[in-house]
Amino acid sequence: MMAAVTGIGVVAPNGVGTETYWQAVLAGRSGIGPLTRFDARGYPVRIAGEVTGFDAAEHVPSRLRVQTDRWTHLAFTAAEMALSDAGADTDELPEYEMAVLTSSSSGGTEFGQYEIERLWSKGSRYVTAYQSIAWFYAATTGQLSIRHGMRGPCGVVCTEQAGGLDAAGRTCRLLESDGARFVLTGGTDASLCPYGVTAQAATGLISPSEEPERGYQPFASTASGYVPGEGGAILVVEQADAARERGAKHVYGLITGYAATFDPRPGTPDPEGGSRLRRAAQLALADAGLECGQVDVVFADASGDPERDRIEATTLREFFGPHGVPVTAPKTMTGRLYGGGAALDVATALLSIRDGVIPPTINVPALAPGCDLDLVRGEPREGPIRNALILARGYGGFNAALVVSGTE
Amino acid sequence: MSTFTLDDLAKLMRECGGEDQEGLCGDTLDVPFADLGYDSLALLEITTRIENRYSVSIPEDMATGMKTPREAIDYVNTLVHAA
């Protein structure tokens, strides 16, 4: 069974719409700026990748808007783009063979925060009934399932910033053995509210920088953490045969390999003496039936935390040899999008394959000692790309690796 | 205590997400809420807003038991006038 990606929808800080985003990424245009969604003075997070110019009223009917969080609004929009891109008429497909499997890192945080404020300031009778369905992790999946009549095996994956890869990987299982032929996957997140950023800042991984160019410099000698962002991507993934059968107009690529691992308890050594991230990459390549030399680009997790950067750089060096593979982190233009981040990386890798170009990493002037990677910096790099390896890590010990491949 | 009118209900329904829809009018008085696009959760939301604004109490089974705008208006008015 081959899992074919036939539709992509992107809502990102540097572009709403797949091609708008892709052009921005190739031009090295960042969507990171001052955090404006609330008065952030007094908070340890002052810059962010906000999806600006997105008015939910233009994209989401009011009946749905009032009962859902911004994170779901972004997903509604990306899903519509992806379905339209796939040229799929969901009315024509068997409803129990269509599924939705998204990634979510914090649910409807912003919606929840403002209802909790009403609870404490006015009383329980002023909390909207929609709180019950807006803020839990599965809300986006459920709303997409209802809206598009996709009643097959649905679910949500909550593995923090690794979620986009885990959702895509599990999507293959839905297609292989759970009776699905057509799946909406990927993920979005929108947790740039006081409650959201306070919870994120507690990890200590967010940069204290107030300068958009300096807040997220993975693998750099000046790395100081990351910048949070919102948005993500939704993908249509189908059984390749079924896609051909319904006359899908294009296939961006195939999901050919996936694996996930979990870190050992902090302070205890890795049972196999390497990193669990490395193990995930190894298993994903084995799943794809590929050798290291067949990987044309790595979309790195690119934490921005010096220690975590070093672990990833070591993993890549051990795995591919010194400067053995081009590495990139276009997320330096969006910030880290939590449940949406790895999903956006999958979309970006597929566009890379389509156009034969590796998008750049920005804002990395000099690599840190121990991070001497072939990092594609400043300008995009052209050349055929057959296989891309995507890595992602989620806070708390999640590691995931996904391989996407061209159809030729 | 003022009477609860069709306009009052229409305004609340708009606040609960109906702003894209055509306004509630005499013709839709007897159309079931479900057919107007309001599910049980939406009705719960509307009745909570009525309770807060008109200082009345609507039992939950009544909230979901009011099938049409006319039934809702009539029921709320019995409460408002009894208060």
Side-chain angles (χ1 to χ4, degrees):
Chain A
M1 205 286 307
M2 304 273 248
V5 181
T6 57
I8 296 177
V10 171
V11 280
N14 57 347
V16 174
T18 305
E19 297 308 326
T20 307
Y21 160 76
W22 182 230
Q23 289 315 314
V25 164
L26 290 177
R29 209 155 46 235
S30 174
I32 294 173
L35 177 47
T36 63
R37 297 287 301 285
F38 63 95
D39 183 356
R41 282 174 300 180
Y43 286 84
V45 181
R46 307 292 288 277
I47 53 175
E50 298 181 341
V51 179
T52 50
F54 174 82
D55 179 3
E58 287 175 18
H59 299 277
V60 185
S62 64
R63 294 281 306 122
L64 291 173
R65 211 161 61 231
V66 296
Q67 49 181 297
T68 46
D69 181 81
R70 177 175 171 88
W71 139 75
T72 305
H73 300 165
L74 296 172
F76 275 137
T77 307
E80 280 204 305
M81 289 177 197
L83 287 168
S84 153
D85 185 33
D89 182 355
T90 48
D91 292 338
E92 297 292 312
L93 293 164
E95 56 183 346
Y96 289 101
E97 293 178 28
M98 292 187 288
V100 185
L101 181 55
T102 65
S103 151
S104 175
S105 130
S106 56
T109 318
E110 186 176 40
F111 193 106
Q113 157 154 17
Y114 294 121
E115 292 308 318
I116 288 169
E117 282 182 12
R118 265 189 277 280
L119 172 67
W120 295 116
S121 63
K122 297 173 94 177
S124 61
R125 292 159 57 85
Y126 289 85
V127 175
T128 171
Y130 295 128
Q131 168 73 353
S132 62
I133 60 164
W135 80 332
F136 72 124
Y137 293 114
T140 290
T141 286
Q143 290 287 355
L144 290 175
S145 163
I146 294 166
R147 190 176 198 197
H148 298 292
M150 304 174 77
R151 310 180 77 174
C154 293
V156 60
V157 183
C158 308
T159 53
E160 223 258 343
Q161 301 185 27
L165 299 192
D166 290 322
R170 293 194 65 86
T171 289
C172 296
R173 198 175 299 173
L174 296 185
L175 295 169
E176 270 163 28
S177 53
D178 291 353
R181 72 157 76 182
F182 184 101
V183 182
L184 271 182
T185 189
T188 55
D189 240 316
S191 203
L192 297 176
C193 59
Y195 169 31
V197 299
T198 301
Q200 293 156 27
T203 65
L205 295 172
I206 293 182
S207 168
S209 177
E210 296 184 16
E211 296 174 58
E213 296 78 23
R214 289 175 171 266
Y216 188 25
Q217 302 179 295
F219 305 116
S221 51
T222 45
S224 62
Y226 70 82
V227 174
E230 61 178 358
I234 298 288
L235 311 172
V236 172
V237 187
E238 307 180 61
Q239 289 178 0
D241 292 346
R244 205 172 302 120
E245 201 178 292
R246 73 164 179 85
K249 57 183 181 182
H250 52 213
V251 173
Y252 287 97
L254 307 169
I255 299 172
T256 47
Y258 162 70
T261 60
F262 199 78
D263 285 343
R265 195 156 52 88
T268 58
D270 189 277
E272 290 166 41
S275 72
R276 294 282 88 192
L277 181 66
R278 179 182 169 179
R279 183 69 180 146
Q282 198 174 19
L283 291 170
L285 282 188
D287 189 35
L290 293 176
E291 304 290 334
C292 288
Q294 292 172 283
V295 174
D296 302 304
V297 61
V298 174
F299 284 75
D301 174 59
S303 160
D305 171 69
E307 174 61 14
R308 291 166 69 83
D309 281 350
R310 196 190 49 74
I311 291 171
E312 186 170 34
T314 304
T315 291
L316 293 173
R317 193 172 51 244
E318 287 174 356
F319 212 57
F320 294 97
H323 290 254
V325 67
V327 177
T328 192
K331 64 184 72 167
T332 45
M333 294 172 235
T334 62
R336 293 181 72 88
L337 311 184
Y338 299 89
L344 184 59
D345 269 349
V346 177
T348 311
L350 289 160
L351 295 166
S352 238
I353 289 172
R354 182 192 69 182
D355 292 350
V357 57
I358 300 172
T361 304
I362 65 163
N363 297 332
V364 179
L367 293 170
C371 293
D372 47 338
L373 299 164
D374 176 14
L375 190 68
V376 177
R377 282 185 281 170
E379 299 290 321
R381 188 186 299 178
E382 291 186 15
I385 298 162
R386 289 152 306 228
N387 303 297
L389 173 66
I390 306 151
L391 301 177
R393 288 176 290 190
Y395 185 76
F398 301 102
N399 304 288
L402 191 88
V403 181
V404 291
S405 306
T407 51
E408 283 154 33
Chain B
M1 187 62 73
S2 62
T3 299
F4 183 66
T5 66
L6 180 61
D7 280 350
D8 296 330
L9 178 61
K11 185 164 173 286
L12 285 169
M13 287 171 69
R14 270 198 305 277
E15 287 173 11
C16 297
E19 64 188 65
D20 294 348
Q21 289 172 317
E22 296 200 4
L24 190 62
C25 62
D27 293 346
T28 47
L29 259 181
D30 296 305
V31 177
F33 282 113
D35 295 348
L36 293 169
Y38 291 81
D39 58 15
S40 57
L41 208 52
L43 280 183
L44 215 53
E45 180 69 18
I46 292 169
T47 50
T48 308
R49 286 176 188 238
I50 293 172
E51 289 181 320
N52 290 341
R53 204 156 306 174
Y54 294 88
S55 304
V56 295
S57 174
I58 302 174
E60 210 170 297
D61 55 340
M62 275 311 297
T64 49
M66 301 182 298
K67 298 297 180 208
T68 63
R70 187 192 300 279
E71 281 180 36
I73 292 165
D74 289 349
Y75 178 69
V76 173
N77 276 322
T78 60
L79 295 177
V80 167
H81 292 135

